[in-house]
Amino acid sequence: MSMDKRLFLVWPMAACLAVMALVSCTTVKEYQKNRLNDAEMVSGNRKVEKQN
Amino acid sequence: MTGGVGSQKLTDIANVFDVRLFRYDKKQRKHTFDIEVGIDHYTSASSDKIDLKANSSASHADTRIYPSLSWSVENEKKRTTFGVGISSSTEFDYQSFGGNISFAQKTRNRNGEFSAKLQAYLDRVKLVTPVELRNAPYGEENDHYATANRNTYAGSLSYSQIINQRFEVTLLADLVSQHGYLGLPFYRVYFADGSVHQENLPDSRLKVPLGVRANYFLGDRFIVRAYYRFYTDDWGLTSHTANIELPVKITPFFSISPFYRYYTQSAVKYFAPYQEHTVKDNYYTSNYDLSKFNSSFIGTGVRIAPPKGVLGMQHFNMLELRYGHYVKSINMNANIVSLNLRFK
């Protein structure tokens, strides 16, 4: 199977994993978010990636 | 610029200055004002070939200046954030004015957030044609270039969800519509019969990128940052981007982040290499940015943010340094060094 065909399957697989993750979530209180609020966990590109 | 052959050598120095101010109003809403100014200076062996007979010309280098202003207000009680922004970008042959409006809403338990953004860019392209294709004779200065419009409208949706105390996922979807002059006026295309033409591309393009991010805090020191994006448009280009970054927290204030990004794209319908287009082609380009290729980008970054400031300087809050080596399958490679300094 060519690399492009393999990669084309990644999108639906990634979507399925995302949906499975979404339905299995638990409520996290503000005081429990110390790891989620870590600077390395920021969602989105870092400022330093901007020019890459 | 030389029809799909020749040097791609390019150097680029880019600097961005970003100032962010915060203020709370009487209703305890948080206002954020962001002023950003970017300055890029690049030299390009290809851009230098607008005049093939000149050893070097003014087009071998250019400087771009791009300021932007934005304001957002966050209402903690209603769990909403509203924002607006304006931007511009100016270089010798290109001017852009942009505006955006955004809205975000958190879920009742504050574990999820939905956001939407609308952007518009109204651009003007100066039609700098290759010298031999101009109406004016060789050697004459042509200071009066025609211009053409290029307008871009983009809608973005995202939803982020906290899965548990260590795991967060974000889904991203955009829709981008472009109209106007979408080619590059100084790009040559050599046909199979030896004739040379100016690049000619359609005056509309519809783009659809879809992406997913997942961040996971593994143990006490390791973080996994993963990103995948699928892209397709009506010019026939389809691409996949997969990125993984593995920050390691050596101490709470010092981390090292190796990363790897793989990218693959198909060619647009209108691409053909040097001397492969014919007069039967309504649209044609030999720009290898629109060809089929793969690329890999590998590197590492360090982040230092001690509580007493970097090098003991209290206001010098954070330093990030990042190096990456970029390799494209079309015989191009690059080295990129980025530095981010934060002062509070």
Side-chain angles (χ1 to χ4, degrees):
Chain A
M1 190 186 288
S2 68
M3 177 63 82
D4 285 346
K5 284 183 181 171
R6 277 200 295 264
L7 282 171
F8 187 72
L9 294 174
V10 172
W11 164 240
M13 285 168 57
C16 285
L17 285 170
V19 169
M20 284 166 60
L22 288 172
V23 300
S24 63
C25 49
T26 59
T27 298
V28 176
K29 305 284 186 196
E30 292 301 315
Y31 66 87
Q32 295 173 316
K33 290 182 179 176
N34 54 318
R35 288 188 173 87
L36 293 168
N37 289 336
D38 191 282
E40 303 286 359
M41 287 283 285
V42 67
S43 186
N45 288 339
R46 299 168 183 270
K47 276 271 184 188
V48 78
E49 288 180 62
K50 199 171 180 180
Q51 303 300 332
N52 290 349
Chain B
M1 206 170 299
T2 46
V5 295
S7 172
Q8 299 183 86
K9 186 171 181 182
L10 179 145
T11 59
D12 185 30
I13 300 171
N15 295 289
V16 175
F17 301 93
D18 188 359
V19 176
R20 192 168 294 181
L21 305 168
F22 304 93
R23 181 181 82 85
Y24 284 89
D25 64 19
K26 292 177 185 175
K27 295 182 181 179
Q28 290 305 304
R29 293 174 300 197
K30 182 182 178 184
H31 296 255
T32 303
F33 303 90
D34 201 340
I35 305 161
E36 194 173 290
V37 178
I39 304 172
D40 294 354
H41 182 77
Y42 76 86
T43 61
S44 166
S46 179
S47 298
D48 199 17
K49 296 298 181 188
I50 290 177
D51 182 351
L52 292 171
K53 292 193 172 183
N55 284 331
S56 185
S57 65
S59 62
H60 80 286
D62 201 0
T63 301
R64 179 172 77 111
I65 299 173
Y66 45 106
S68 65
L69 290 172
S70 68
W71 164 76
S72 68
V73 56
E74 181 182 354
N75 188 322
E76 186 66 21
K77 286 181 192 170
K78 293 183 180 177
R79 297 170 272 110
T80 59
T81 304
F82 172 76
V84 293
I86 54 172
S87 63
S88 81
S89 174
T90 303
E91 56 193 292
F92 173 75
D93 60 341
Y94 203 95
Q95 179 134 64
S96 172
F97 292 101
N100 65 78
I101 185 168
S102 63
F103 177 77
Q105 171 80 59
K106 290 184 181 173
T107 57
R108 202 174 291 274
N109 64 6
R110 300 173 195 278
N111 278 200
E113 184 172 36
F114 168 79
S115 66
K117 189 172 189 177
L118 293 173
Q119 301 174 84
Y121 296 95
L122 306 178
D123 302 348
R124 178 152 287 193
V125 185
K126 202 176 277 186
L127 300 176
V128 181
T129 312
V131 166
E132 72 275 20
L133 299 180
R134 296 179 191 177
N135 293 328
Y138 267 111
E140 266 195 23
E141 281 293 316
N142 184 356
D143 294 330
H144 303 288
Y145 298 105
T147 60
N149 293 333
R150 175 185 299 174
N151 299 330
T152 303
Y153 305 99
S156 306
L157 297 175
S158 75
Y159 182 73
S160 65
Q161 176 68 50
I162 291 171
I163 308 301
N164 56 44
Q165 293 182 37
R166 294 173 177 270
F167 190 24
E168 184 173 13
V169 171
T170 304
L171 303 177
L172 308 148
D174 292 5
L175 186 66
V176 181
S177 175
Q178 289 187 298
H179 301 273
Y181 190 90
L182 304 184
L184 288 167
F186 38 76
Y187 268 48
R188 295 177 176 86
V189 177
Y190 290 90
F191 279 23
D193 61 5
S195 59
V196 59
H197 303 258
Q198 187 185 36
E199 177 183 84
N200 186 29
L201 290 167
D203 61 3
S204 70
R205 191 174 187 182
L206 187 67
K207 307 176 179 180
V208 183
L210 302 168
V212 57
R213 290 186 186 278
N215 293 346
Y216 188 79
F217 206 118
L218 186 67
D220 290 331
R221 294 184 183 274
F222 300 93
I223 292 148
V224 179
R225 292 167 55 90
Y227 171 70
Y228 170 76
R229 189 188 82 156
F230 170 78
Y231 167 96
T232 187
D233 66 28
D234 62 354
W235 282 13
L237 195 150
T238 300
S239 75
H240 304 270
T241 307
N243 187 87
I244 187 154
E245 189 174 354
L246 302 172
V248 179
K249 297 181 78 71
I250 308 300
T251 74
F253 316 117
F254 175 64
S255 59
I256 297 174
S257 304
F259 64 87
Y260 175 72
R261 183 172 72 213
Y262 179 78
Y263 175 82
T264 181
Q265 74 171 42
S266 63
V268 300
K269 293 181 281 193
Y270 319 112
F271 174 84
Y274 179 70
Q275 289 193 335
E276 290 196 19
H277 279 293
T278 69
V279 293
K280 293 180 185 175
D281 297 329
N282 288 328
Y283 300 110
Y284 38 86
T285 179
S286 292
N287 179 359
Y288 272 80
D289 285 345
L290 301 175
S291 70
K292 177 180 166 63
F293 69 84
N294 307 321
S295 71
S296 290
F297 187 40
I298 187 166
T300 193
V302 296
R303 185 176 186 278
I304 305 167
K308 293 187 178 178
V310 179
L311 302 175
M313 291 184 275
Q314 186 66 46
H315 295 295
F316 189 179
N317 182 254
M318 187 267 294
L319 180 150
E320 272 185 301
L321 180 64
R322 184 173 164 108
Y323 164 74
H325 182 68
Y326 179 73
V327 178
K328 246 175 167 175
S329 61
I330 49 174
N331 198 28
M332 193 194 105
N333 61 75
N335 294 292
I336 302 168
V337 177
S338 305
L339 178 66
N340 180 23
L341 308 175
R342 187 170 71 198
F343 297 87
K344 277 190 176 178

